Amino acid sequence: MRNFVVFAAILLTATACGDTWGQRAVTGGGIGAGSGAVIGAVTGMGPLTGALIGGAVGAGAGAATTPRR
C-alpha cells in the first residue's frame, strides 16, 4: 500500500505539463492513462479499465487546472 501512495503522489506532481488548455488535457490524459493502466493491473480491475478511467480523469484534471494568462 505504501508503494501505491508514493507512486500516486509522484504521478500527481507530474500531471498536466503544458501551457495551453489542449496541451494540459493531452498530457494529463496520457499520464492518467499510463498510471491508470498500472494501478488497474495491480488492483485486479484490469489495465484497460484503469487506463480508460485514468485517462479521462487525467484529461479533465489537466484541462481544469490550466493557468490563466
Side-chain angles (χ1 to χ4, degrees):
M1 184 66 179
R2 181 174 179 264
N3 290 340
F4 174 74
V5 172
V6 171
F7 184 66
I10 290 170
L11 290 174
L12 288 175
T13 59
T15 301
C17 301
D19 295 329
T20 66
W21 178 85
Q23 288 175 341
R24 291 179 67 85
V26 169
T27 57
I31 293 169
S35 61
V38 171
I39 292 169
V42 170
T43 61
M45 180 174 38
L48 180 59
T49 304
L52 291 173
I53 294 170
V57 171
T65 58
T66 303
R68 295 182 186 210
R69 294 185 179 203

